[in-house]
Amino acid sequence: MEQEKTNVHIIPYEDSHRDAFRDINYQWLTQYFEVTAYDKPFFENPRKEILDKSGYIFLASLENEIVGSVALERITDKEYTLAKMGVKPGFQELRIGQLLMDKALEKAEQLNLDSLVLYTNHQLVQALNLYSKYGFRFERLENPLVERATIKMVKKFN
């Protein structure tokens, strides 16, 4: 198991990864919730909905298979949302979520952000533990964009 971890590479998104990006996220969305009309454009055209709006997508690659994803979506020049974070079933013990989070936070620091915001759900206990470990703190949730968002967390950098 230790050996496998070292073979995970965090790479920038390319258009050829679109199906893998969508499948990873649809898997957890359908397992716990449902894919909504709000979600679909992000996965049908991630370049237009995320990258062309000054966002970033990073993927975890293991032996040329895409096994995880995370996105940073721009709110303002100083604040982004951490989103679209998922790891394929069967790969969740390899600390891929941590590797993705490390990359996302490294990018946030490069961008000199004041804060990263994320919206999640109380059912996603593993994700909540990861976010807390990385310094995200609970804040009051108002007017979430999707019904499944029951929790707002923020990590401040300054």
Side-chain angles (χ1 to χ4, degrees), residues 8-14 16-18 20-21 24-25 57-61 66-70 96 100 103:
V8 176
H9 299 282
I10 306 302
I11 60 171
Y13 174 88
E14 294 175 16
S16 61
H17 301 132
R18 187 190 72 156
F21 177 61
I24 286 165
N25 283 280
I57 301 170
F58 299 104
L59 303 170
S61 173
I66 301 299
V67 296
S69 74
V70 66
I96 291 169
L100 289 162
K103 183 65 177 180

Side-chain angles (χ1 to χ4, degrees), residues 42-133:
F42 290 99
F43 300 114
E44 296 310 312
N45 197 341
R47 177 156 305 281
K48 177 179 171 227
E49 296 298 326
I50 300 171
L51 301 177
D52 290 351
K53 296 177 180 177
S54 301
Y56 302 87
I57 301 170
F58 299 104
L59 303 170
S61 173
L62 177 63
E63 292 168 11
N64 295 319
E65 180 181 359
I66 301 299
V67 296
S69 74
V70 66
L72 293 175
E73 298 171 11
R74 183 183 178 278
I75 301 170
T76 69
D77 285 346
K78 289 295 189 180
E79 185 171 62
Y80 276 61
T81 300
L82 183 88
K84 319 294 184 273
M85 188 161 188
V87 176
K88 258 181 146 169
F91 294 91
Q92 289 161 337
E93 302 304 312
L94 299 178
R95 299 202 159 143
I96 291 169
Q98 291 178 29
L99 295 172
L100 289 162
M101 182 66 83
D102 289 340
K103 183 65 177 180
L105 294 180
E106 177 187 310
K107 189 64 183 177
E109 288 183 19
Q110 284 173 4
L111 293 168
N112 198 27
L113 298 184
D114 289 339
S115 59
L116 261 183
V117 178
L118 67 83
Y119 296 90
T120 188
N121 183 284
H122 60 277
Q123 292 179 61
L124 304 177
V125 176
Q126 273 187 305
L128 288 169
N129 290 338
L130 178 72
Y131 302 144
S132 294
K133 177 181 165 184

Side-chain angles (χ1 to χ4, degrees), residues 140-157:
R140 187 181 152 118
L141 176 68
E142 295 176 19
N143 307 318
L145 293 168
V146 286
E147 208 174 289
R148 66 177 173 266
T150 60
I151 293 173
K152 176 183 180 180
M153 298 180 83
V154 177
K155 178 175 176 70
K156 297 192 184 310
F157 292 99

